[in-house]
Amino acid sequence: MEQPLDYQEKTAGRNMVTDVPVFSENDTLKDIEDFLIDRSSQFNSLDYIYLTDKINTLVGVISIKDLLVTVDKTLKASKIMVSNLVTAQVDTDQERLVYLALSHGLKSIPVVNEEGGFMGVVPYDTILQIFNHEVQSDVFKFGGIFHRIGDEYTSIHSSAIHMIRSRLPWLIIGVIGGTLAASLIAQFEELLSSFIALASFIPVMVYMSDAAGAQTEALIIRSMALDTKLNVRKYLTREVVVATVLAAISGLFAAFMAYVTRQNLILGVIIFFALFLSIIASVTINTLAPLILRKFKYDPALATGPLATIFSDIATLAIYLAVAMTLLGN
Amino acid sequence: MEQPLDYQEKTAGRNMVTDVPVFSENDTLKDIEDFLIDRSSQFNSLDYIYLTDKINTLVGVISIKDLLVTVDKTLKASKIMVSNLVTAQVDTDQERLVYLALSHGLKSIPVVNEEGGFMGVVPYDTILQIFNHEVQSDVFKFGGIFHRIGDEYTSIHSSAIHMIRSRLPWLIIGVIGGTLAASLIAQFEELLSSFIALASFIPVMVYMSDAAGAQTEALIIRSMALDTKLNVRKYLTREVVVATVLAAISGLFAAFMAYVTRQNLILGVIIFFALFLSIIASVTINTLAPLILRKFKYDPALATGPLATIFSDIATLAIYLAVAMTLLGN
């Protein structure tokens, strides 16, 4: 029989334990109880007794509680077992185990092979540890930190050198992206010189595009983590409506503020169109990036790293300067 | 006896169940087994049997498995019980339950009052749901989304109106913060006009300060979530070293890139000093904000919202323009 180490990392197979009690559905409760009393120390986990048919197909479980409280021990196990089990395949992604446990309130999840044959069980504490690692991994990616999950359980004990190595890469990539952005703006320096107020509003354009992007990422990453069969069409339809409304309101408000503080109508008009378009662009980039990554079997949370932000920032600056060029008739 | 609803929200007391089997440590295994067989249906959770002394102090537990496999049923419960239990107080924060379960591999956590009296148990599925809600809450705050946890389990089923209402507030605050930033820059428009290359590097300054701040937030929020007794002094000492090194390397690299792309030495020097100082400022703001919030009993994750970013951005722009003023001798 295959052992956990035969399976790929981050699958149900890799995380299962195999030292659990397995009996035939035709064994009597007395057979099971006698065996357990004899051998209880050999089992890692003893919440459920797993029942199989002649060809090792998992057909049901009995809780230890039900075994204890059933008075007629001559009954066959199949008489009191619970069937219709929620199971995972050996190659099920470990993130899905968390989803199954959360959505069905399960303590442990039996693992079966393609033929339904019983292979093992992912116990409670493993599911909680997987959840913790996934969360840590997602939050760190969100924050732009390179972190090899499993190397370090928490960060307080990591050395300063380790912390620098996990934080520096994205900062260096940020400098490169920022220099690209600076080179883009440099092409428009004549425009900026002739209408210097435009420069003052660069930070608000970049900030708003990043903020809308971060919201988009947080929502889609959580939605995908909670529901691995996320209805993408429904999600996108709603996101289009939401993004358009948010972009319109934010654009109008920013234009109003720009007009009030600078008493310049054309500046307000530029801010409105540029912010409207750049929020739409940012939401689009930050929605599609994780979906595309998932399509190609990469971890969608990779997109929450700073790369999508750098793309959005450059797109935002290009939109801002192009809108200004167009409206100022340069 | 107090019931769960008597306790404040988000405490162990509020999340406990009370329909669990409780016996005296002096009961025999036979007494317990007979009672359970008779009344098994009345218990919500049946993994452990909780044992108390005469004055209801929790003294130990027996797992259902140990009850089943112990042959001599005339033994007193105290003979096979596990003592030295990990427990929560009725007013323990629910986030700490997740930490206890993770760090001790616990299925369920007994809840006691100030005198050690047994009050109830927080079961496995509740701990997992609490963890899920905390994660959802943290990720949403990180992304700048107002979300009343508990109202909506996932987001895919929320209406577009609900999504707009939870995303718009931070965008509006962002516009206000951005307008403040624009007004700050407007004070320096003469400087910018006379040295327009400075305008090109505004986005990289803002981006880098945000990136360093986001890393800081992700680390400190996770460290506090995983270890509610985080050693702040040790954490800060390391963070000072890490931030200084990151700021120096990023500053030097950005200065080098600015010099190479613009062939302007003074621009490089300005970029170095400004980026060095603004990364230090951003790390400081983003480290202190959650610590101060926690000190005053607010949720530290509030600081991961966009407010700390807006403060950092304005600080960064002020530093950038002040450094440029000083070095250009205006």
Side-chain angles (χ1 to χ4, degrees), chain A residues 7 11-14 16 88-92 111-114 119:
Chain A
Y7 299 102
T11 60
R14 183 67 162 253
M16 70 191 181
Q89 299 283 319
V90 286
D91 61 353
T92 297
V111 182
V112 297
N113 63 18
E114 279 176 21
M119 305 303 288

Side-chain angles (χ1 to χ4, degrees), chain B residues 216 236 239 243 277-290 312:
Chain B
T216 304
L236 289 182
E239 192 66 14
L277 293 174
S278 67
I279 288 179
I280 302 272
S282 171
V283 169
T284 306
I285 291 170
N286 286 287
T287 302
L288 294 185
S312 309

Side-chain angles (χ1 to χ4, degrees), chain B residues 170-247:
Chain B
W170 273 125
L171 295 179
I172 293 297
I173 291 170
V175 170
I176 296 170
T179 307
L180 282 177
S183 305
L184 173 74
I185 299 174
Q187 309 304 313
F188 294 83
E189 274 177 7
E190 209 177 313
L191 171 71
L192 285 174
S193 296
S194 67
F195 192 18
I196 191 69
L198 284 176
S200 310
F201 286 87
I202 288 177
V204 73
M205 298 299 305
V206 171
Y207 176 84
M208 293 299 291
S209 143
D210 287 356
Q215 291 182 334
T216 304
E217 283 172 354
L219 285 171
I220 196 162
I221 291 298
R222 278 308 285 164
S223 298
M224 288 200 283
L226 284 172
D227 183 358
T228 46
K229 302 202 191 308
L230 179 71
N231 182 333
V232 172
R233 185 187 298 259
K234 189 175 162 193
Y235 188 91
L236 289 182
T237 309
R238 189 191 57 187
E239 192 66 14
V240 168
V241 175
V242 171
T244 309
V245 174
L246 291 175

Side-chain angles (χ1 to χ4, degrees), chain A residues 33 36-37 40 43 46-47 64-65 67-69 71 98 101-103 105-107 124-125 127-129 131-132 135-136 139-140 142-145 153-160 163-164 166-168 170-172 174-176 178-179 181-183 185-186 189 192-193 196-197 199-204 206-208 210-212 214-216 218-219 222-223 226-227 230-231 234-235 238-239 241-242 245-246 249-250 253-254 257-258 261-262 275 283 306-307 309-310 313 317, chain B residues 33 36-37 40 43 46-47 64-65 67-69 71 98 101-103 105-108 124-125 127-129 131-132 135-136 139-140 142-145 153-160 163-164 166-168 170-172 174-176 178-179 181-183 185-186 189 192-193 196-197 199-204 206-208 210-212 214-216 218-219 222-223 226-227 230-231 234-235 238-239 241-242 245-246 249-250 253-254 257-258 261-262 275 283 306 309-310 313 317:
Chain A
E33 200 171 293
L36 289 182
I37 290 170
S40 66
F43 300 114
L46 239 180
D47 294 315
I64 296 289
K65 169 199 154 190
L67 177 61
L68 181 80
V69 302
V71 179
V98 177
L102 270 169
S103 53
L106 302 175
K107 273 202 193 65
Y124 160 74
D125 50 342
I127 294 173
L128 201 59
Q129 295 295 350
F131 194 14
N132 189 43
V135 168
Q136 175 109 325
V139 170
F140 280 4
F142 215 89
I145 296 167
Y153 177 62
T154 64
S155 56
I156 183 71
H157 304 294
S158 315
S159 68
M163 296 310 300
I164 291 166
S166 60
R167 291 169 70 167
L168 195 57
W170 273 126
L171 295 179
I172 294 296
V175 171
I176 296 170
T179 307
S183 304
I185 299 173
E189 274 177 6
L192 286 174
S193 297
I196 191 69
S200 310
F201 285 88
I202 288 177
V204 72
V206 170
Y207 176 84
M208 293 299 290
D210 286 356
Q215 290 182 334
T216 305
L219 284 171
R222 277 309 285 161
S223 299
L226 284 172
D227 183 358
L230 179 71
N231 183 334
K234 190 175 161 192
Y235 187 91
R238 189 190 58 187
E239 192 66 13
V241 175
V242 172
V245 174
L246 291 175
I249 297 178
S250 305
F253 184 54
M257 293 294 277
T261 53
R262 305 304 286 263
L275 196 53
V283 170
L307 215 50
T309 307
I310 293 172
D313 282 358
L317 289 167
Chain B
E33 200 171 294
L36 289 182
I37 290 170
S40 67
F43 299 115
L46 239 179
D47 294 316
I64 296 291
K65 169 200 155 190
L67 178 60
L68 181 80
V69 302
V71 178
V98 177
L102 271 170
S103 54
L106 302 175
K107 273 204 194 62
S108 52
Y124 160 75
D125 50 343
I127 295 173
L128 201 59
Q129 296 294 349
F131 194 15
N132 189 45
V135 168
Q136 176 109 326
V139 170
F140 280 4
F142 214 91
I145 295 167
Y153 177 63
T154 65
S155 56
I156 183 71
H157 304 294
S158 317
S159 68
M163 296 310 301
I164 291 165
S166 58
R167 290 168 70 168
L168 196 56
W170 273 125
L171 295 179
I172 293 297
V175 170
I176 296 170
T179 307
S183 305
I185 299 174
E189 274 177 7
L192 285 174
S193 296
I196 191 69
S200 310
F201 286 87
I202 288 177
V204 73
V206 171
Y207 176 84
M208 293 299 291
D210 287 356
Q215 291 182 334
T216 304
L219 285 171
R222 278 308 285 164
S223 298
L226 284 172
D227 183 358
L230 179 71
N231 182 333
K234 189 175 162 193
Y235 188 91
R238 189 191 57 187
E239 192 66 14
V241 175
V242 171
V245 174
L246 291 175
I249 297 178
S250 304
F253 184 54
M257 293 294 276
T261 54
R262 305 305 284 262
L275 196 53
V283 169
T309 307
I310 292 173
D313 282 358
L317 289 167

Side-chain angles (χ1 to χ4, degrees), chain B residues 61-107:
Chain B
V61 300
I62 301 177
S63 69
I64 296 291
K65 169 200 155 190
D66 288 338
L67 178 60
L68 181 80
V69 302
T70 305
V71 178
D72 181 1
K73 305 287 185 191
T74 63
L75 285 177
K76 282 192 179 181
S78 54
K79 290 288 178 193
I80 67 161
M81 75 184 181
V82 175
S83 38
N84 284 324
L85 301 177
V86 173
T87 59
Q89 297 283 320
V90 286
D91 61 352
T92 297
D93 190 276
Q94 65 176 15
E95 208 161 343
R96 181 144 180 92
L97 299 172
V98 177
Y99 171 71
L100 290 174
L102 271 170
S103 54
H104 296 87
L106 302 175
K107 273 204 194 62

